[in-house]
Amino acid sequence: MCFIPIPVTGSPTHYAEAPTENQATDQECTGYGSTPCGYCKSENGRTSVGARLSQLQPTVYQDFINRGWRRSGKYLYKPDCRNTCCPNYTIRLDAEEYRPRKDHRQTMNAWNRSRDCLLREKKWRKNHFDLRTAVHEAESQCIKRPIDPRCKEPIGPAHEFEVDLEPDSYSEEKYDLFENYQRHVHKENPGEISKHGFRRFLCSGMGQTRRLWNGVEQKLGSYHQCYRVDGRLVAMGVLDLLPGCVSSVYLIYHQDVEDWYFGKLSALREISLAVEGGYRYYYMGFYIHSCIKMRYKNQYQPSYILDPETYSWDRVDADCLARLSARKYVSMSLERELRLPAHRINDVNELGLDEASLKRLQDYQRQEETHLDSALSAAMPGLMSLDEVEDEIDLGRWPLKLGNMLVHLEDLRGWTSWDIRDPSSLKGIVAELAAALGPCLVSQLVLELG
């Protein structure tokens, strides 16, 4: 199984899992670099570390997303939140503590009514809304069917509604839905949409496995949650089911049902899945505060964002949102360390910081004006320093796959003479990738040269 980071310099380095044992676009940055941004439309503002993989286990991908990585098909990327145009913060919801807002309840109830379900009395439902009951209420097998007094036969619903969790495999039915969605929602031209792109983006995740966890059988891997009305596929959520979460990858729906707010309906369904399956958390991808249309994710509470510096989780509350509005880049751990106010800082001298803290603040607020070819030289947050890499990771013992052989990097001729601080050397390239991955992931990966 191969996890494949390909540096932007063109160096042929690859990573694979250790033998002991996941917006449709072709714009990919491998290694460290910049690509066009789909949010603010800047030509080269989206800065990240990118990598390509061949296969991945759910347990390993859980470690990736908890370090700020995310996948698009078999491509993994970790945004440089300090230097990118639109900072991307990993966001997750504690599904077990979630309480639906009024508009969330209304959306679910409206959908259920549209299927001609026999709903409970309105006042009772308003005071006793149960998410796990409501998301299944319109399904054909759950609908109560009264007996017609005339023919003594059960009265069926106006429409048959079914939801199935399927492997993320390709089908013409799924592609037709994708094609309709890309044309009508993203306004793509037919020539920009292809079966190859669909397969690469939404049908190439992790394999499917199962495990028993706390007495509950959990599905793990990449799946398509398919919504069908009268046998017709009208929406599909792409999900990664991981040991500690349900991770939402993408949602597509047909233009015929766009008025039913399938974004909310699918989110409620996926939150319920996280609770029913014992996954605990619901990962909603990235929270992008600078993009107004992406702020809807903070409506699902209690939600938390991942600190790009420390990889700790912070509640998305009023204080956090105020800081995200006041500054382009926010690390809640540094905000607390420096005791910064939530509002915009106009004069740093008013903060009364000592010299060391002032230097820390300057580093915190620094942004590179030019696009560098090295994540370390750009001071990308969350990366280990080269000193930390040397102290905590034995790069020379990193397994290396050469054909059918498994050796170590230190077995390469010239390894000891290469300078770890030379970003153009193999040792320097590998060290920077190790700094982005961290010791836990490095210990689970095998390097492959191709």
Side-chain angles (χ1 to χ4, degrees):
M1 299 181 181
C2 294
F3 165 69
I4 310 176
I6 307 172
V8 90
T9 58
S11 174
T13 60
H14 308 257
Y15 283 86
E17 277 192 35
T20 55
E21 289 262 84
N22 105 323
Q23 179 179 25
T25 174
D26 289 324
Q27 296 283 353
E28 295 180 354
C29 167
T30 52
Y32 182 77
S34 300
T35 58
C37 178
Y39 300 103
C40 69
K41 308 305 179 184
S42 65
E43 292 186 2
N44 271 307
R46 184 170 176 253
T47 309
S48 64
V49 170
R52 179 156 288 282
L53 59 91
S54 63
Q55 291 185 2
L56 192 64
Q57 294 289 344
T59 52
V60 178
Y61 186 52
Q62 181 78 64
D63 292 333
F64 270 103
I65 63 174
N66 285 340
R67 283 186 65 86
W69 293 77
R70 186 161 172 78
R71 77 173 186 88
S72 173
K74 294 186 182 300
Y75 173 71
L76 261 68
Y77 59 101
K78 175 181 172 64
D80 180 348
C81 289
R82 176 183 285 116
N83 298 306
T84 196
C85 55
C86 300
N88 293 210
Y89 303 92
T90 299
I91 184 171
R92 73 181 186 185
L93 169 76
D94 187 338
E96 294 181 355
E97 297 298 322
Y98 168 68
R99 298 295 178 268
R101 292 175 12 142
K102 180 179 180 180
D103 60 309
H104 295 167
R105 299 194 303 268
Q106 290 175 334
T107 298
M108 180 59 68
N109 290 338
W111 171 258
N112 287 343
R113 284 195 300 270
S114 76
R115 301 308 98 194
D116 197 22
C117 304
L118 295 175
L119 302 179
R120 293 176 183 267
E121 194 269 325
K122 182 176 181 181
K123 183 177 180 181
W124 188 96
R125 290 177 56 82
K126 181 178 180 180
N127 297 321
H128 299 85
F129 184 89
D130 179 73
L131 178 63
R132 294 174 64 179
T133 299
V135 297
H136 296 291
E137 194 164 18
E139 294 175 21
S140 299
Q141 68 270 24
C142 298
I143 290 180
K144 296 179 180 179
R145 302 169 186 255
I147 301 299
D148 188 325
R150 293 169 298 177
C151 63
K152 308 302 181 183
E153 296 290 333
I155 301 175
H159 300 279
E160 296 285 342
F161 177 54
E162 297 175 319
V163 182
D164 297 304
L165 196 61
E166 305 174 0
D168 65 336
S169 57
Y170 174 89
S171 73
E172 289 294 323
E173 177 188 41
K174 293 175 182 178
Y175 174 71
D176 289 344
L177 180 66
F178 173 76
E179 189 270 343
N180 177 271
Y181 180 81
Q182 295 301 120
R183 281 193 297 108
H184 290 277
V185 175
H186 288 292
K187 309 303 180 184
E188 291 187 2
N189 297 319
E192 299 176 287
I193 308 168
S194 69
K195 294 181 179 181
H196 169 74
F198 174 62
R199 283 191 175 98
R200 178 191 59 80
F201 178 44
L202 298 179
C203 303
S204 59
M206 295 168 282
Q208 295 78 38
T209 61
R210 297 172 184 262
R211 73 168 185 172
L212 194 63
W213 180 254
N214 291 334
V216 177
E217 185 181 67
Q218 282 187 335
K219 294 180 178 179
L220 298 177
S222 300
Y223 291 85
H224 290 160
Q225 185 145 269
C226 297
Y227 301 80
R228 292 182 172 87
V229 175
D230 296 333
R232 176 192 175 201
L233 183 66
V234 297
M236 184 179 81
V238 183
L239 304 176
D240 287 334
L241 305 185
L242 308 178
C245 71
V246 171
S247 176
S248 177
V249 178
Y250 205 62
L251 171 72
I252 57 178
Y253 52 83
H254 197 276
Q255 66 182 109
D256 291 349
V257 296
E258 62 185 354
D259 292 337
W260 291 103
Y261 302 102
F262 252 92
K264 290 182 182 178
L265 289 173
S266 64
L268 295 175
R269 183 97 193 183
E270 291 158 13
I271 293 168
S272 181
L273 174 62
V275 177
E276 294 172 2
Y279 300 98
R280 175 68 186 271
Y281 291 104
Y282 175 53
Y283 281 57
M284 297 177 278
F286 288 129
Y287 178 70
I288 306 172
H289 191 75
S290 60
C291 182
I292 301 298
K293 69 178 182 180
M294 296 298 289
R295 293 188 184 182
Y296 72 90
K297 295 182 182 182
N298 71 46
Q299 298 173 1
Y300 296 85
Q301 292 289 345
S303 57
Y304 302 80
I305 57 171
L306 185 69
D307 192 306
E309 306 272 352
T310 63
Y311 302 120
S312 57
W313 294 94
D314 290 282
R315 178 73 184 270
V316 182
D317 54 16
D319 177 71
C320 177
L321 293 173
R323 295 173 189 275
L324 290 168
S325 295
R327 287 176 271 288
K328 180 182 177 183
Y329 165 63
V330 170
S331 163
M332 293 298 289
S333 62
L334 287 177
E335 298 271 323
R336 288 188 291 269
E337 176 187 328
L338 297 172
R339 299 181 180 180
L340 300 181
H343 58 75
R344 188 180 304 275
I345 301 171
N346 296 316
D347 185 358
V348 296
N349 295 320
E350 296 178 356
L351 300 177
L353 299 176
D354 58 31
E355 186 175 345
S357 296
L358 187 59
K359 175 62 166 60
R360 188 83 164 120
L361 175 61
Q362 291 171 342
D363 290 340
Y364 173 38
Q365 295 183 322
R366 182 185 70 162
Q367 292 183 348
E368 296 297 333
E369 296 298 327
T370 58
H371 294 291
L372 304 176
D373 60 0
S374 165
L376 288 170
S377 61
M380 179 174 170
L383 266 62
M384 304 171 69
S385 68
L386 287 179
D387 288 339
E388 289 172 331
V389 171
E390 290 183 302
D391 290 342
E392 300 179 32
I393 300 175
D394 188 350
L395 287 180
R397 298 298 297 171
W398 202 343
L400 169 67
K401 185 179 180 183
L402 291 175
N404 294 324
M405 297 189 303
L406 196 64
V407 295
H408 295 96
L409 283 174
E410 64 185 10
D411 298 325
L412 293 177
R413 181 180 301 174
W415 175 258
T416 56
S417 64
W418 292 332
D419 185 1
I420 194 174
R421 300 182 188 281
D422 178 3
S424 64
S425 72
L426 179 60
K427 184 180 287 188
I429 293 170
V430 169
E432 181 161 284
L433 289 170
L437 293 169
C440 180
L441 281 169
V442 168
S443 68
Q444 300 176 77
L445 303 173
V446 171
L447 179 66
E448 183 178 8
L449 302 181

